[in-house]
Amino acid sequence: MRTTRVLHAVDSHTEGMATRVITGGVGTVPGATMAERRSHFMLHLDELRTFLMYEPRGHAAMSGAILQPPTRPDADYGVLFIEVSGCLPMCGHGTIGVATVLVETGMVPVVEPVTTIRLDTPAGLVTAEVAVENGAATAVTLRNVPSFSVALDRKAVLPDGRTVTYDLAYGGNFYAIVPLAEFDLPFDRTHKDEILAAGLSLMTAVNDGGAPVHPEDPAITGCHHVQLLAPGSTAERSRHAMAIHPGWFDRSPCGTGTSARMAQLHARGELPLHQDFVNESFIGTAFTGRLTGAAEVGGRPAVLPTVTGRAWITGTAQYLLDPTDPFPAGFLL
């Protein structure tokens, strides 16, 4: 067996969405902070992302995380979040997957009934509280970065000339949030191609009209997620289809998307602090969110979200690169 690369992984899924956790073989990415490491990775090591996420080792909706030494003394591990769309500042379902893997592989000291893991992410420090029973992770509650509403009732002109009204919010990534009724489409997976096309058309319009930029970190920019809300969605229980660049759906309820949705609902006066909010994915799985306090980001009001969900380990692997492989960086069809 010949190989020029060996990457060690523990695969998992969080409420249906994959997280391929890379536990070895990458080395320490240069950078004094995880934000700097993310920038270096995107500029110089992106073929590692495509190698792991694209076909033939991944697929068109693949997601993962690369474990790193932390850059700050109050963190247990650093994490770079990767997926087919790029290298994310933060990933909620990925955090739940990483925390589950760390506990169930014994990579952190395991304490019952709750093991607390502090993760150094490009978006900031994220804490994961893992409920543990008989050594198994049964649920993970992540304490996400401060989240905030960017704009309410913003107008966008789509490529077909139609105007839709949407809200824009941040929960670790930027999200356009729009009722699916704006596109006259049913919340039905048999219409998934039309729903995805609608989400991508709004994504294009949002970015063409001036891509959002984080007020404290200009490296976090652009809207690559559109949350299309099902009819009947409320501040108690919401259903959605999450369209993601370059053209796929999140299978999970989306942790950073749940945080952004709660920030949007709070800005509208519909979701108070300390009230549970259930957010349901396109395949029917759910996260439970809660706003635990107020904060400020770049001079604007923000909220402190928690998101609770579950993940399961699906396998372990060593990913190899034969020197004659015609797809050393993978391919995306």
Side-chain angles (χ1 to χ4, degrees), residues 68-79 102 107-109 115-120 125-128:
Q68 291 281 288
T71 65
R72 48 192 295 168
D74 56 350
D76 301 302
Y77 278 91
V79 187
L102 290 174
M107 294 178 70
V108 294
T115 297
T116 300
I117 304 170
R118 292 162 294 275
L119 296 174
D120 186 7
L125 185 70
V126 173
T127 301

Side-chain angles (χ1 to χ4, degrees), residues 101-236:
V101 166
L102 290 174
V103 164
E104 296 206 349
T105 60
M107 294 178 70
V108 294
V110 178
V111 178
E112 297 191 21
V114 177
T115 297
T116 300
I117 304 170
R118 292 162 294 275
L119 296 174
D120 186 7
T121 82
L125 185 70
V126 173
T127 301
E129 296 172 351
V130 186
V132 183
E133 295 181 15
N134 299 319
T138 59
V140 179
T141 297
L142 69 93
R143 296 189 177 276
N144 199 10
V145 297
S147 303
F148 53 88
S149 170
V150 178
L152 302 176
D153 297 320
R154 182 176 281 184
K155 304 291 183 183
V157 179
L158 305 183
D160 64 2
R162 181 190 315 200
T163 298
V164 298
T165 303
Y166 71 97
D167 295 341
L168 187 66
Y170 176 84
N173 299 287
F174 286 104
Y175 290 83
I177 303 170
V178 60
L180 188 54
E182 287 280 313
F183 297 93
D184 300 319
L185 290 171
F187 189 74
D188 188 323
R189 283 160 62 184
T190 61
H191 290 264
K192 61 183 175 60
D193 292 342
E194 299 158 87
I195 295 171
L196 183 59
L200 295 177
S201 68
L202 176 56
M203 192 183 302
T204 297
V206 170
N207 289 316
D208 286 350
V213 180
H214 193 280
E216 294 181 347
D217 185 354
I220 301 175
T221 183
C223 176
H224 303 295
H225 302 76
V226 174
Q227 197 166 166
L228 298 128
L229 304 177
S233 294
T234 69
E236 294 181 351

Side-chain angles (χ1 to χ4, degrees), residues 14-15 240 242 250-255 257-258 279-281 285-287:
T14 302
E15 303 291 357
H240 69 277
M242 184 70 75
D250 196 331
R251 276 66 171 158
S252 83
C254 190
T258 297
N279 202 24
E280 188 175 309
S281 73
T285 55
F287 286 159

Side-chain angles (χ1 to χ4, degrees), residues 40 81 92 116 133 198 201 258 260 271 273 297 306 328:
H40 180 93
F81 295 105
T116 300
E133 295 181 15
S201 68
T258 297
L271 181 64
L273 301 181
V297 176
T306 66

Side-chain angles (χ1 to χ4, degrees), residues 45-59:
L45 298 171
D46 198 53
E47 84 284 352
L48 281 175
R49 176 184 67 85
T50 60
F51 173 80
L52 290 161
M53 300 290 99
Y54 286 8
E55 295 183 67
R57 296 165 191 83
H59 52 74

